[in-house]
């Protein structure tokens, strides 16, 4: 009997692209499925305050997070799941500043408010200063020196202080009136300012001159350990982004919406907390790849 010849099967031209596309869809499903079991990103808690302004991690307690609003300061001891009042009440904690070198030093600034704590937020004292106004919308602390601080005073400009906020020197009055947040970059010569729809601003000379490097920004923070600048934006494409090249290019983390406050843990640069305009608190422990309360 003759042996039947094996027939060679030829792949049709459209099969290989289809296989590749299917594999890509599976990969995307696996990646985004990490958000939760049903693919949705869920908050870990919801704040019931009337406004949402600032966040800061403790330098020594990994799960301790502070939240500032017009009515004072709240604290969470379990990573943002539950919140309680602190001794700072009925004071506008619009901007929080935490020292990276001294775990005891914290600042709170806002409308007619400028307080300092030297016991990690247990007690607060009002700071007397020579600032020309008392409406502070932006505040930042030099990571290498807890006494070197920066502030944006509405109607007057950006100032610096080298003695913990007692005496101030004007750096620039040429920034937009919508300037809302400040952060220090790689060193005290590099500063960033979020000015809402007026854009993301950058200074390379310690705050004396500023240039626009982004179309919008509302909340921001710089993380020395990862060399990442995080910002949140406004408008129809509002989201959370990061840059690893000082704002030249940006990557979206897929967390869409308007986020008014952000903080990254000084103990773990992968640990991020954000609050949106509804008061919903979101947490990521893998630098924004997934968002959950675990």
């Amino acid at each position: 009997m003759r042996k039947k010849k094996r027939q060679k099967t030829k792949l049709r031209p459209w099969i290989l692209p289809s296989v590749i596309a299917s594999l890509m869809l599976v990969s995307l499903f696996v990646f985004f499925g990490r958000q939760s079991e049903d693919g949705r990103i869920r908050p870990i808690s919801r704040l019931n305050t009337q406004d949402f302004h600032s966040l800061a991690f403790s330098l020594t307690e990994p799960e301790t997070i502070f939240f500032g609003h017009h009515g004072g300061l709240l604290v969470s001891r379990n990573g943002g799941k539950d919140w309680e009042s602190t001794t700072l009440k009925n004071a506008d904690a619009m901007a929080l500043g935490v020292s990276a070198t001294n775990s005891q030093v914290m600042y709170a600034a806002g409308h007619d408010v400028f307080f300092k704590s030297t016991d990690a937020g247990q007690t607060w004292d009002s700071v007397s200063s020579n600032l020309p106004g008392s409406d502070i919308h932006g505040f930042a602390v030099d990571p290498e020196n807890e006494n070197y601080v920066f502030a944006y005073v509405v109607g007057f400009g950006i100032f610096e202080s080298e003695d913990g906020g007692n005496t101030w020197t004007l750096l620039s009055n040429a920034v937009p009136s919508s300037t809302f947040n400040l952060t220090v970059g790689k060193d005290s010569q590099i500063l960033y300012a979020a000015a809402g729809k007026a854009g993301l601003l950058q200074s390379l000379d310690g705050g004396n001159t500023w240039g626009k490097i982004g179309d919008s920004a509302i909340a921001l923070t710089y993380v020395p350990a990862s060399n990442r600048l995080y910002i949140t934006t406004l408008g129809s494409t509002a989201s959370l982004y990061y840059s690893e090249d000082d704002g030249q290019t940006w990557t979206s983390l897929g967390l869409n919406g308007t986020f008014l406050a952000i903080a990254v843990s000084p103990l773990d640069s992968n640990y991020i907390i954000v609050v949106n305009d509804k008061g919903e608190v979101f947490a990521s422990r893998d630098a924004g790849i997934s968002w959950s309360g675990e």
Side-chain angles (χ1 to χ4, degrees):
M1 296 180 67
R2 293 182 179 179
K3 293 183 179 180
K4 293 183 178 181
K5 292 183 180 180
R6 293 181 179 178
Q7 293 183 349
K8 293 184 179 180
T9 302
K10 293 184 180 181
L11 288 175
R12 296 182 180 180
W14 53 269
I15 293 180
L16 186 58
S18 298
V19 171
I20 294 175
S22 298
L23 290 173
M24 289 178 66
L25 287 173
V26 171
S27 299
L28 286 171
F29 175 79
V30 171
F31 177 80
F32 288 107
R34 293 183 62 189
Q35 309 298 338
S36 64
E37 290 182 359
D38 61 1
R40 294 180 59 192
I41 298 174
R42 288 192 173 95
I44 60 173
S45 65
R46 183 165 186 166
L47 296 157
N48 59 7
T49 56
Q50 293 184 350
D51 51 85
F52 320 100
H53 280 305
S54 54
L55 289 167
F57 275 89
S58 165
L59 189 64
T60 57
E61 300 174 16
E63 298 302 311
T64 296
I65 306 164
F66 297 93
F67 164 73
H69 64 111
H70 285 326
L73 186 68
L74 303 182
V75 64
S76 172
R77 305 291 182 185
N78 58 1
K81 295 177 182 178
D82 300 291
W83 299 86
E84 60 185 18
S85 298
T86 67
T87 56
L88 186 59
K89 300 176 182 178
N90 301 316
D92 181 19
M94 188 173 182
L96 295 175
V98 179
S99 168
T101 54
N102 188 334
S103 61
Q104 300 300 299
V105 175
M106 292 181 63
Y107 297 89
H111 302 293
D112 300 318
V113 168
F114 184 29
F115 286 95
K116 183 176 182 179
S117 173
T118 56
D119 55 12
Q122 296 183 51
T123 61
W124 296 83
D125 295 310
S126 180
V127 181
S128 298
S129 74
N130 65 333
L131 284 173
S134 58
D135 193 1
I136 302 173
H137 275 199
F139 193 88
V141 183
D142 182 353
E144 299 179 355
N145 183 352
E146 71 271 16
N147 291 314
Y148 192 14
V149 294
F150 301 87
Y152 170 67
V153 183
V154 177
F156 296 95
I158 293 179
F159 294 76
E160 68 173 358
S161 172
E162 297 183 4
D163 59 6
N166 294 117
T167 57
W168 295 83
T169 302
L170 176 65
L171 294 172
S172 173
N173 58 7
V175 295
S177 59
S178 58
T179 297
F180 191 78
N181 276 308
L182 297 174
T183 192
V184 179
K186 295 177 183 178
D187 55 57
S188 58
Q189 289 299 297
I190 303 177
L191 301 175
Y192 299 94
K197 294 181 180 179
L200 173 65
L201 311 178
Q202 179 190 57
S203 174
L204 301 176
D205 57 6
N208 290 286
T209 60
W210 295 81
K212 182 178 176 180
I213 62 170
D215 292 332
S216 73
I218 188 69
L220 77 173
T221 189
Y222 180 81
V223 185
S226 61
N227 191 34
R228 279 188 175 187
L229 173 65
Y230 290 91
I231 68 166
T232 63
T233 58
L234 298 169
S236 58
T237 58
S239 185
L240 171 64
Y241 297 85
Y242 74 86
S243 174
E244 294 178 334
D245 53 15
D246 299 321
Q248 296 181 50
T249 59
W250 296 93
T251 300
S252 172
L253 287 174
L255 192 63
N256 299 324
T258 302
F259 294 89
L260 303 180
I262 180 173
V264 178
S265 171
L267 302 175
D268 181 0
S269 60
N270 291 321
Y271 190 5
I272 309 170
I273 291 283
V274 293
V275 177
N276 67 10
D277 55 352
K278 299 176 183 178
E280 295 174 325
V281 181
F282 296 83
S284 174
R285 295 178 184 264
D286 53 16
I289 295 175
S290 61
W291 299 85
S292 69
E294 300 301 325

